[in-house]
Amino acid sequence: METEKISDQNQRHIRAVGEEQERVKELLRRGAVRHYFLGPESIWTREGFGIVVGGILAIVFGGFIFPRLFLFSSNNEVLKIVCWIMAAAGVVIAGKGLHEMHRESKLESKPVPDSVHDEILAHDLSCLKRISREMLEERIPELGNGDLFDAMEMIMVKGPRDYSSNVNLPLSWKLGDDGKLRYSNFSAMTLYFGKETLYI
């Protein structure tokens, strides 16, 4: 009994680790697609610049805005100390951000090759095919038999899409080194041709 409990916990742990690794891989794939279409990041679009902006905001609010708002009508010592701490933290954060920007400026950014984009696209399309089949099995239970699916011809039609709710990338086009035109966002429609019925 105790062994089954430990085995079940191990299975859940392995499953959770696998799901987390898949999420990390998905983030890396999305980042690669973004860099493929928009090019390598500059120091102004990386994390260091965001840290600098956060530090500057802390300095501005702690050193100027909050003292004018709160200490104009009150001479509270605690508020003064809080404002000074906030401004000092902003200086430290901005310094850390500048150091990070300097480090990031030395990193070499290479463009993402066409082959990486095509590999990610093939992965996305295979996932969409699997999802479409699962949706069809769920909505039309009589097709649950695998033989019916195998007998049907399946065609996926895809094309560029101006907006997609699950991406933060505008529709971008790029002509690859191989002469093929690629686009960043797409819609897909899967067609299953049965003997008498077309499933979309």
Side-chain angles (χ1 to χ4, degrees):
M1 182 72 173
E2 194 68 29
T3 311
E4 289 178 10
K5 195 173 184 181
I6 292 171
S7 176
D8 185 46
Q9 287 176 341
N10 287 342
Q11 291 289 337
R12 279 186 290 179
H13 176 71
I14 290 169
R15 196 166 36 248
V17 168
E19 288 172 1
E20 186 63 31
Q21 287 176 343
E22 191 53 43
R23 279 194 288 270
V24 170
K25 287 178 188 174
E26 185 62 24
L27 280 173
L28 291 173
R29 281 193 286 264
R30 294 310 120 220
V33 169
R34 185 172 188 81
H35 292 159
Y36 178 77
F37 286 101
L38 301 182
E41 287 187 297
S42 68
I43 59 169
W44 307 109
T45 58
R46 290 188 173 168
E47 188 177 352
F49 181 66
I51 295 172
V52 169
V53 170
I56 291 171
L57 286 174
I59 293 168
V60 168
F61 277 93
F64 301 104
I65 294 176
F66 287 161
R68 299 267 192 280
L69 287 175
F70 299 126
L71 299 178
F72 181 73
S73 60
S74 160
N75 214 3
N76 191 337
E77 289 298 317
V78 175
L79 282 175
K80 284 182 182 177
I81 292 170
V82 169
C83 289
W84 278 109
I85 290 173
M86 188 173 180
V91 170
V92 171
I93 291 169
K96 181 185 176 202
L98 287 171
H99 173 70
E100 190 71 20
M101 282 180 74
H102 177 68
R103 190 182 65 79
E104 289 170 347
S105 69
K106 294 182 177 180
L107 296 175
E108 185 181 350
S109 296
K110 295 180 181 176
V112 176
D114 296 334
S115 59
V116 172
H117 171 269
D118 293 344
E119 186 181 315
I120 293 169
L121 180 62
H123 175 269
D124 288 348
L125 291 175
S126 68
C127 287
L128 286 174
K129 288 175 184 175
R130 179 182 48 79
I131 290 168
S132 71
R133 180 170 176 153
E134 288 171 0
M135 287 176 67
L136 204 58
E137 285 176 342
E138 181 184 309
R139 297 203 172 131
I140 306 173
E142 56 267 22
L143 291 175
N145 183 357
D147 297 338
L148 290 173
F149 270 110
D150 295 337
M152 287 195 286
E153 182 185 357
M154 189 270 285
I155 295 176
M156 179 173 279
V157 181
K158 69 178 179 64
R161 182 173 187 172
D162 189 33
Y163 170 78
S164 182
S165 59
N166 63 346
V167 294
N168 58 358
L169 183 64
L171 178 60
S172 301
W173 299 80
K174 183 174 181 183
L175 184 64
D177 295 334
D178 54 3
K180 290 182 182 175
L181 191 62
R182 293 167 175 87
Y183 43 88
S184 58
N185 299 340
F186 64 89
S187 292
M189 180 170 62
T190 313
L191 308 174
Y192 288 90
F193 293 90
K195 288 181 181 176
E196 299 177 353
T197 311
L198 169 66
Y199 301 97
I200 302 177

